């Protein structure tokens, strides 16, 4: 059993497992899907070039750290707007134009609320919600403690639940 | 270790006291959080076509030197294949790989064709490896987990597991070789099972199981294919630990099982509906259960 990922099969496995969470994470940061894809690719190239010096259990945090740094080098911070597709639901009750408009408006409001979250809270919330990662896994990717993840998630929920104050 | 600053997060993961839950309900915040979860439930991002990505990555790595500052522009990956089984083929950087490993993630079934047309269907959380260069002279497969094989007639086909080996010529059979389980079922043809210096020959509709170090034969196999291929896990006097392990693998969920729950189970659970599967276990066994709001953790008790 090799202790690093220079073996092609091991590297491929890592690629398949991590390319989507990494691309998504970079999207949550940049709001630019194409950029997120490019930066994710570049992160994997760096990983391959450094394969001998990255321990197997440090691979996830290596990828996320490299990706984060590449992004920071690339663009200035700006207000981002995130958009999420929704799998169409077969709710029979929701077919009137009024309810359709309402749900579209709610979607926009939520997307804006999420986009406006501070970066640290935003990425934890989305990694949990969209990538379906457990807090333990998010902690591993970001190189922080589980408790730190829970705190950020809690803060994100405090802000996001305000959307429902008047509904 | 409970803390105000992590309350909402712990509510979602089911890691919350009854008292905290009461306060949450009374403050009206629980309803808002539930509404938020419902309205973000279907959020997705475009699929990543990792096959295409890997191919482009390979091209980039083979092309002439590039400065680490430049960003490579890749053609946008089209919305790709529907989520399904993962398949790893080691052709990435070299022409002829010496060993191919197929690794199946949690909760799916992978279908893999061998060079001679033989097939393996691999259950959740299992690994299988073999050497294609040797295939025509002798067919050796290493398995950790569970797989169903359809073997074409040809040179001896051997499946090697940590508990023992299965040798066949041309036949259909299922091998379940998990940590505490070893069970081989023959559906067609005949197989020889060698384990702990015992050898048993199986004909169609026969199966053998390792129980406390002894191979025990069972002649009442009533199907033509293992039930996990049809999306159902079926158990016959199986140890409860094994049943809960399979539930974990099929749904990638954390299970908290109270230590007083022991014994055997005969019955089934489905692979496509977690709540239904839980009922299929808890009802016959007389167990109580609770599930965390994010459906990632289930607790069983008497």
């Amino acid at each position: 059993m090799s202790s690093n990922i220079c073996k092609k099969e091991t590297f491929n496995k890592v690629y398949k497992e991590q390319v989507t969470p990494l691309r998504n994470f970079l999207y949550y940061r940049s709001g630019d899907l194409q950029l997120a894809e490019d930066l994710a690719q570049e992160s994997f190239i760096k990983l391959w070039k450094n394969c001998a010096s990255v321990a197997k259990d440090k691979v996830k945090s290596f990828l996320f750290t490299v990706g984060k740094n590449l992004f920071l080098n690339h663009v200035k911070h700006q207000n981002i707007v995130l958009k999420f597709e929704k799998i169409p639901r077969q709710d029979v009750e929701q077919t009137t134009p009024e309810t359709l408009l309402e749900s579209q408006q709610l979607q926009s409001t939520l997307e804006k609320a999420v986009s406006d979250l501070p970066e640290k809270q935003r990425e934890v919330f989305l990694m949990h919600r969209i990538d379906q990662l457990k807090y333990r896994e998010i902690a591993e990717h970001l190189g922080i403690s589980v408790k730190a993840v829970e705190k950020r998630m809690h803060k994100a929920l405090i802000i996001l639940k305000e959307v429902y104050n008047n509904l | 270790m409970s803390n105000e600053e992590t309350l909402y997060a712990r509510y979602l993961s089911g890691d919350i006291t009854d008292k905290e839950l009461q306060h949450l309900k009374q403050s009206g915040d629980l309803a808002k959080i539930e509404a938020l979860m419902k309205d973000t439930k279907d959020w997705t991002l475009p699929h990543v076509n990792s096959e295409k990505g890997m191919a482009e990555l390979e091209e980039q790595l083979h092309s002439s030197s590039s400065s680490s500052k430049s960003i490579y522009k890749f053609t946008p990956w089209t919305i790709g294949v529907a989520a399904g089984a993962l398949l790893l083929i080691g052709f990435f950087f070299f022409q002829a790989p010496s060993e191919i490993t197929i690794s199946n993630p949690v909760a799916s079934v992978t279908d893999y064709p061998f060079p001679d047309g033989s097939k393996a269907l691999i259950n959740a959380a299992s690994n299988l490896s073999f050497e294609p260069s040797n295939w025509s002279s002798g067919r050796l497969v290493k398995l950790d987990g569970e797989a169903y094989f359809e073997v074409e007639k040809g040179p001896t086909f051997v499946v090697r597991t940590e508990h023992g080996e299965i040798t066949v010529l041309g036949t259909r059979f299922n091998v379940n070789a998990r940590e505490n389980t070893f069970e081989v079922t023959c559906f067609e043809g005949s197989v020889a099972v060698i384990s702990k210096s015992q050898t048993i020959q199986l004909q169609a509709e026969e199966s053998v199981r390792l129980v406390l170090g002894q191979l025990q034969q069972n002649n009442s196999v009533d199907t033509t294919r293992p039930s996990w291929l049809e999306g159902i896990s079926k158990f016959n006097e199986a140890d409860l630990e094994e049943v809960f392990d399979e539930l974990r693998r099929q749904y990638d969920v954390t299970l908290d099982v109270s230590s007083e729950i022991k014994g055997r189970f005969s019955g089934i659970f489905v692979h496509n509906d977690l709540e239904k599967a839980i009922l299929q276990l808890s009802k016959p066994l007389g167990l109580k259960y609770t599930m965390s709001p994010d459906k990632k953790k289930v607790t069983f008790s008497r």
Side-chain angles (χ1 to χ4, degrees), chain B residues 249-273:
Chain B
R249 282 187 292 257
Q250 291 298 338
Y251 287 99
D252 191 18
V253 67
T254 306
L255 295 183
D256 224 333
V257 180
S258 124
S259 51
E260 33 163 20
I261 298 178
K262 288 190 218 290
R264 302 205 160 264
F265 175 72
S266 296
I268 63 164
F269 68 77
V270 295
H271 293 175
N272 62 352
D273 183 342

Side-chain angles (χ1 to χ4, degrees), chain B residues 108-258:
Chain B
S108 66
V109 175
T110 293
D111 187 343
Y112 190 79
F114 292 106
D116 65 344
S118 301
K119 286 209 309 188
L121 284 115
I122 309 166
N123 201 355
S126 304
N127 296 303
L128 186 153
S129 59
F130 72 102
E131 297 196 19
S133 47
N134 288 344
W135 201 248
S136 44
S137 49
R139 305 177 286 178
L140 169 66
V141 169
K142 292 182 233 173
L143 172 70
D144 169 27
E146 179 166 23
Y148 167 77
F149 296 88
E150 291 185 353
V151 175
E152 296 296 314
K153 298 227 188 311
T156 316
F157 189 105
V158 177
V159 180
R160 184 171 292 164
T161 75
E162 65 171 297
H163 298 298
E165 282 192 4
I166 301 95
T167 307
V168 300
L169 291 173
T171 183
R172 290 159 200 255
F173 62 101
N174 192 73
V175 180
N176 188 352
R178 306 265 187 202
E179 209 181 297
N180 296 310
T181 307
F182 184 54
E183 184 170 13
V184 182
T185 306
C186 178
F187 291 95
E188 187 193 87
S190 77
V191 315
V193 181
I194 305 158
S195 171
K196 305 202 184 306
S197 62
Q198 302 156 61
T199 307
I200 288 194
Q201 188 109 19
L202 295 179
Q203 307 300 326
E205 293 171 29
E206 289 178 354
S207 72
V208 73
R209 209 189 153 87
L210 199 62
V211 179
L212 300 172
Q214 299 280 344
L215 283 182
Q216 277 185 12
Q217 197 162 338
N218 169 16
N219 299 340
S220 60
V221 173
D222 56 359
T223 50
T224 50
R225 294 208 323 169
S227 43
W228 60 266
L229 286 180
E230 320 300 342
I232 297 174
S233 282
K234 188 170 173 184
F235 303 92
N236 183 13
E237 290 299 306
D239 193 282
L240 271 180
E241 249 195 74
E242 197 189 309
V243 176
F244 286 121
D245 277 343
E246 183 70 7
L247 187 67
R248 282 184 185 101
R249 282 187 292 257
Q250 291 298 338
Y251 287 99
D252 191 18
V253 67
T254 306
L255 295 183
D256 224 333
V257 180
S258 124

Side-chain angles (χ1 to χ4, degrees), chain A residues 30-120:
Chain A
S30 65
D32 181 338
L33 205 60
Q34 181 61 60
L35 179 64
E37 284 179 5
D38 296 341
L39 294 179
Q41 280 296 74
E42 222 187 309
S43 304
F44 278 100
I45 290 175
K46 281 220 159 113
L47 180 63
W48 179 254
K49 292 191 169 158
N50 290 294
C51 65
S53 51
V54 180
K56 234 170 171 177
D57 60 345
K58 295 283 181 252
V59 167
K60 287 182 198 175
S61 59
F62 177 89
L63 282 171
F64 272 57
T65 307
V66 166
K68 200 168 35 172
N69 290 336
L70 287 171
F71 169 65
L72 291 174
N73 290 340
H74 189 67
V75 281
K76 289 183 272 214
H77 284 278
Q78 49 189 331
N79 278 345
I80 68 165
V81 179
L82 296 175
K83 292 256 155 255
F84 299 98
E85 300 168 356
K86 270 171 62 119
I87 307 164
R89 316 254 286 208
Q90 311 294 84
D91 289 350
V92 178
E93 315 102 59
Q94 306 222 325
T95 45
T96 73
E98 290 82 19
T99 53
L100 189 58
L101 183 62
E102 254 176 47
S103 79
Q104 280 172 352
Q105 283 176 338
L106 181 58
Q107 170 79 355
S108 288
T109 306
L110 284 171
E111 283 172 343
K112 181 166 193 308
V114 169
S115 302
D116 288 345
L117 282 173
E119 200 169 63
K120 292 186 173 157

Side-chain angles (χ1 to χ4, degrees), chain A residues 7-9 11-13 15-17 19-20 23-24 27-28 33-35 37-42 44-46 48-49 70 74 83-89 91 94 106-107 110-111 114 125-126 128-137 147 149-158 160-162 164-165, chain B residues 1 3-10 12-13 15 29 32-33 35-54 56-57 60-61 66-77 79 86-94 97-101 103 127 252-254 294 296:
Chain A
K7 219 177 145 193
K8 56 197 173 336
E9 286 130 29
F11 185 82
N12 287 6
K13 183 171 179 214
Y15 186 90
K16 289 247 177 198
E17 281 171 1
V19 66
T20 302
R23 191 260 340 233
N24 289 358
Y27 175 67
Y28 304 154
L33 205 60
Q34 181 61 60
L35 179 64
E37 284 179 5
D38 296 341
L39 294 179
Q41 280 296 74
E42 222 187 309
F44 278 100
I45 290 175
K46 281 220 159 113
W48 179 254
K49 292 191 169 158
L70 287 171
H74 189 67
K83 292 256 155 255
F84 299 98
E85 300 168 356
K86 270 171 62 119
I87 307 164
R89 316 254 286 208
D91 289 350
Q94 306 222 325
L106 181 58
Q107 170 79 355
L110 284 171
E111 283 172 343
V114 169
F125 176 78
L126 291 171
H128 179 84
R129 204 82 200 100
I130 297 187
D131 300 313
Q132 304 275 304
L133 296 175
K134 302 184 192 174
Y135 298 146
R136 174 183 41 86
E137 293 167 321
K147 181 137 191 210
V149 172
E150 288 176 335
K151 280 188 189 174
R152 292 183 190 183
M153 185 68 176
H154 175 80
K155 287 184 189 158
L157 291 170
I158 289 179
L160 293 176
K161 74 171 166 65
E162 297 300 299
Y164 295 91
N165 275 354
Chain B
M1 287 287 274
N3 205 315
E4 267 276 347
E5 311 168 288
T6 55
L7 180 64
Y8 296 159
R10 287 185 291 108
L12 288 183
S13 59
D15 188 11
D29 284 341
K32 292 181 191 169
I33 293 177
L36 174 67
M37 291 296 118
K38 176 166 168 280
D39 292 328
T40 56
K41 185 164 170 247
D42 296 328
W43 281 11
T44 65
L45 286 172
H47 214 80
V48 173
N49 186 340
S50 47
E51 295 291 350
K52 193 153 181 242
M54 271 202 328
E56 288 186 348
L57 195 69
Q60 282 297 338
L61 283 165
S66 35
S67 116
S68 58
K69 288 221 174 99
S70 64
I71 303 269
Y72 307 106
K73 286 281 181 261
F74 298 103
T75 52
W77 303 339
I79 295 177
L86 279 188
L87 200 59
L88 301 176
I89 303 181
F91 299 123
F92 203 97
F93 296 114
F94 301 85
S98 51
E99 187 181 69
I100 289 180
T101 301
S103 207
N127 296 303
D252 191 18
V253 67
T254 306
D294 61 5
K296 299 224 206 345

